Amino acid sequence: MPGTKKTSPLTPNNTPLPDAGTIYADVIVPLALRQTYTFSVPEEYVPSLEPGLRVEVQFGKNKHYTGIVRRLHGKAPGHKVKPILSVIDVAPLLTPAQLQLWDWMASYYACTLGEVMNAGLPSHLKLTSETIITLGPLFSDDAAQLDDQEYLIVEALTLQQQLTLKDVRDILQVKTVYPVIRRLLDRRIVFLQEELQERYRPKVVNCVRFSPAYRTEQEQVAAFELVSRSELQTAVLVEFFQVVRQQPFVRRADLTKRTGATDSVIKALVKKGIFELYEREVSRIGGGEEDTISAQPMSEQQIGALAQVRGLLVEKKPVLIHGVTGSGKTRVYLELMQEVIDAGQQVLYLLPEIALTGQIVKRLQTVLGDKITVYHSRLNNMERVEIWQAVLAGKTSVVGPRSALFLPFSQLGLVVIDEEHDPSYKQQEPNPRYNGRDVAVYLAHLHGAKTLLGTATPSLESWENARRGKYGLVSMHERFGGLALPEVVLADAREDDGKGNHHPFFTPTLLREIKATLERGEQVILFQNRRGFAPVYFCPTCNYTVQCVNCDVSLTYHKYQHRLRCHCCGYVLSPPDSCPACAHPSMQLGGTGTEKIEDELKIFLPEARMGRMDLDTVRGKDALANLLASFEAGDLDILVGTQMVTKGLDFERVGLVGIISADQLLRFPDFRADERAFHLMTQVAGRAGRKHRRGKVIIQAYDRQHPVLTDVLNNDWQNFIERESRHRQETGFPPYRRMIHLQLRHPKRHVVEEAAKLLGSWLAHALGDCVSQPFEPSVARLRTNYLQELVVRLQPDPVAVQRVKSIVTRAVDKLGVTEGLSGVKVAVDVDPY
């Protein structure tokens, strides 16, 4: 307006930018740099530039990257700066809270902002000089929709299949091409090469509309006269009129579902020229195909728990819901989620692994409808960007795994962390090596949102937070509907059949119960936490074991493929017929995997219909969903699986759960072995008897006196957690001490050993006894790299921990510039549990 003085733009700290002089931008680039890099802002971009926008920058001599503006200021750096080449977005892609979260993650997990950016942004939103574009399959050759620059790019792509961004610069004779590429990507005229590798296809539905001959009201009346002799055709036509008034398009499936007509009725109307069929592209956001339904009435326990949760949330601290399997925790979540969504806010519902929790997702979408969207890594880039934009606009809530934490929530009101104990929340590699549960709690804090954590088996960290009053605690000890917890039986793995016959996998007790369960028309789940047929392929004469050429691990035999496979790096080998060491003509298999359990069980139960759930059987996009659908429909009698079967599955016909070998879980060389074993066995036991009757659990073990098995047998969580807490305190392990794990890798053993000794001496000098001596892990070589490790254990004082992280970071950086050791890669893992 005339006479109005223009105010200076503000930095993230609300500090006005100078009215004169050069403006500088600190930009995050997708590289492992310890700090942001400063660029000058050309005058024409100053009015529109703000934190969270994507910009095109040149880094190095020829490399161009998409960067994120972190901060604007007027302070010149002490080096020559390059200008920002272009501004890609009209509005910020990231919110201020997201930028704060990125800063916190880089600091807390001792990584770089560039690494957080790589994890946080869909690749469609990150363009680099190496990006390859190709013409999209939906482009219709309509040049009228293109400007001059877009037309030149599209024309070039019609002559050659793909272009690099350098090619695009040469064609347009300009440096700044990212905004043009962004416009073409947004309209799906071009695609990134990796998207075509994912075989992206837009989601389409089969629809019905009037043909051109029946568009007017008079013509449509005539259509009723044409079908008057067919009741079904008349019913379909009436239903079409009702639906088309309520929504912009009519799906073919809706007409057949609502009228009971078959496809042949629709085809008859098409043949008469009344209808025509077409495909319509629809958004993938929402995804709930069923109509929204109201949730079932709550039990007294659920009503009481909900009241407790509400009271604790008033204190603005996270609340831990400790409820036994089948107690109805999800119903409590849904009630709170509905309240938050009705108030116009967003919800983030985190699950450990989205692919393994389809039932929960379906339940959420059935109750909440299109108000909640599923987000996970199996979506292609265009789908992820669609959801990103909807979340940024505040249009949808989200259910997803840890990657959903990076979405740009603008009105976040509630964060639910289901199965908070699950180790799948921990990112192992690459950086940032974060724990999704802990980041979710901090994300909620940034937004001032409420936080719920739920599980039947709380992690020791969350339990300790509740004990100290940092978290509120709500307990749900009864199963929904008053159903009793399953009966747990410990079977001696040495048991024989009374005639001296002993089977290595199935005790007579387990086989007897499996047969009885199937005779009752119920289903069985068998848990074996190792996939493949046999984990060892060895020579009985000289004890030679076939190992991976890249890793210090034995190859697992897969019978269906007749291949030996490394589960660390993927190396594959055909099984040798004779021993490579001594030429003995007969090799043998050792150990047991899910494939072998399934194979052996067919000998005892040849009529039983079996399925197997492990990474080998669920690799396809729909393979897991199809397997679970078959089991839920009763098409399978027995489901054999790894720990996948412990995660959120709820089948009403399951009467028996069998744990093949509890000893494998308890003997794992990790300070968390007892906790993880208790969690796994309790969770898998909870799959039995979830609906109409009490189920049974058979746990096979050699060491039946192990205290963890006693606690599982008695469902005594309190005794387990108290004993485990005492043990951790006495031995100085988390949560009573903090841990930082360092792993060094290099193709040459002597180099990595020298680097570990040097790094260990630097840290010992600065930190003293809290640093371990360098040691070789149980798997000493991985993917052709030799490994050395160090562990730092310290008191859980935030100031001291941050000081130690700074010392560790400086020491690692120093090692990276040490002559002869610069090729050693060091992975810093804060809270490696």
Side-chain angles (χ1 to χ4, degrees), residues 24 38 75-81:
Y24 297 94
T38 303
K75 185 179 178 182
H79 57 82
K80 185 179 178 181
V81 296

Side-chain angles (χ1 to χ4, degrees), residues 143-144 146-157 180 184:
L146 307 174
D147 63 26
D148 291 344
Q149 289 184 324
E150 293 167 353
Y151 178 78
L152 288 172
I153 296 171
V154 171
E155 185 181 37
L157 284 171
V180 183
L184 292 171

Side-chain angles (χ1 to χ4, degrees), residues 421-693:
H421 69 279
D422 198 291
S424 296
Y425 280 123
K426 174 66 176 177
Q427 164 77 6
Q428 300 298 336
E429 62 178 325
N431 280 346
R433 288 169 165 80
Y434 66 97
N435 189 305
R437 175 197 63 207
D438 300 339
V439 175
V441 172
Y442 187 77
L443 176 69
H445 166 73
L446 284 177
H447 286 267
K450 301 168 185 175
T451 310
L452 281 181
L453 302 94
T455 179
T457 52
S459 64
L460 198 53
E461 291 78 25
S462 295
W463 185 261
E464 186 64 17
N465 282 331
R467 190 184 67 81
R468 293 179 180 178
K470 186 176 179 180
Y471 291 177
L473 178 63
V474 174
S475 298
M476 299 174 69
H477 297 302
E478 299 176 2
R479 279 187 156 189
F480 184 79
L483 191 66
L485 288 166
E487 175 190 359
V488 181
V489 176
L490 279 180
D492 188 349
R494 303 176 183 84
E495 182 185 6
D496 60 37
D497 61 0
K499 300 177 182 178
N501 299 317
H502 171 261
H503 195 279
F505 319 134
F506 309 118
T507 61
T509 299
L510 179 59
L511 285 173
R512 193 164 52 245
E513 289 294 339
I514 291 174
K515 292 174 182 177
T517 302
L518 297 184
E519 287 171 1
R520 292 195 302 267
E522 296 176 348
Q523 293 171 302
V524 177
I525 290 177
L526 296 179
F527 170 57
Q528 169 69 7
N529 203 26
R530 183 171 282 169
R531 64 187 173 104
F533 190 84
V536 179
Y537 192 68
F538 71 101
C539 172
T541 302
C542 68
N543 213 30
Y544 170 84
T545 300
V546 182
Q547 290 197 307
C548 176
V549 297
N550 303 316
C551 314
D552 281 352
V553 296
S554 60
L555 295 177
T556 299
Y557 177 67
H558 291 254
K559 183 178 179 180
Y560 179 75
Q561 301 166 335
H562 189 56
R563 290 290 184 272
L564 294 168
R565 182 180 297 275
C566 175
H567 289 173
C568 293
C569 73
Y571 173 75
V572 177
L573 179 71
S574 295
D577 296 326
S578 59
C579 176
C582 70
H584 188 274
S586 178
M587 300 286 284
Q588 291 186 4
L589 298 169
T592 310
T594 50
E595 197 176 346
K596 191 170 187 178
I597 295 296
E598 180 188 26
D599 200 57
E600 288 283 319
L601 198 56
K602 289 176 181 176
I603 298 173
F604 295 96
L605 301 164
E607 302 299 321
R609 298 165 298 173
M610 299 182 199
R612 178 161 49 90
M613 184 193 293
D614 55 33
L615 283 178
D616 299 317
T617 61
V618 299
R619 291 188 184 277
K621 187 173 183 180
D622 300 319
L624 178 62
N626 293 338
L627 175 63
L628 293 179
S630 296
F631 192 65
E632 189 170 22
D635 297 333
L636 297 174
D637 301 313
I638 300 173
L639 184 63
V640 181
T642 57
Q643 58 182 328
M644 288 183 174
V645 299
T646 72
K647 298 175 187 280
L649 302 180
D650 184 5
F651 299 111
E652 60 178 307
R653 297 185 183 91
V654 174
L656 176 69
V657 168
I659 298 175
I660 301 298
S661 177
D663 304 280
Q664 284 184 356
L665 302 173
L666 295 165
R667 292 172 182 170
F668 198 75
D670 191 304
F671 74 90
R672 299 156 296 189
D674 283 3
E675 182 183 9
R676 295 276 168 84
F678 185 90
H679 288 173
L680 277 171
M681 286 188 278
T682 302
Q683 291 286 340
V684 76
R687 306 307 116 204
R690 304 261 301 177
K691 292 290 182 182
H692 307 300
R693 67 180 299 277

Side-chain angles (χ1 to χ4, degrees), residues 740 742 756 759-761 763-764 768-775 789-793:
I740 300 174
L742 292 93
L759 182 61
S761 66
L763 294 177
D769 294 339
C770 66
V771 182
S772 73
Q773 291 291 321
F775 62 92
E789 298 182 351
L790 298 114
V791 174
V792 181
R793 285 197 280 178

Side-chain angles (χ1 to χ4, degrees), residues 799-810:
V799 176
V801 171
Q802 193 57 45
R803 171 181 165 271
V804 170
K805 288 178 193 173
S806 298
I807 292 172
V808 169
T809 299
R810 289 197 300 271

Side-chain angles (χ1 to χ4, degrees), residues 349-389:
Y349 189 113
L350 282 185
L351 293 164
E353 295 180 48
I354 198 71
L356 302 179
T357 43
Q359 290 178 317
I360 293 177
V361 170
K362 184 177 180 181
R363 193 181 314 166
L364 294 175
Q365 291 188 324
T366 300
V367 175
L368 301 174
D370 61 2
K371 296 174 184 176
I372 193 157
T373 300
V374 182
Y375 184 85
H376 54 85
S377 60
R378 291 193 179 188
L379 300 175
N380 62 50
N381 283 326
M382 291 301 294
E383 292 172 308
R384 293 184 213 179
V385 172
E386 252 189 274
I387 295 173
W388 184 284
Q389 293 167 344

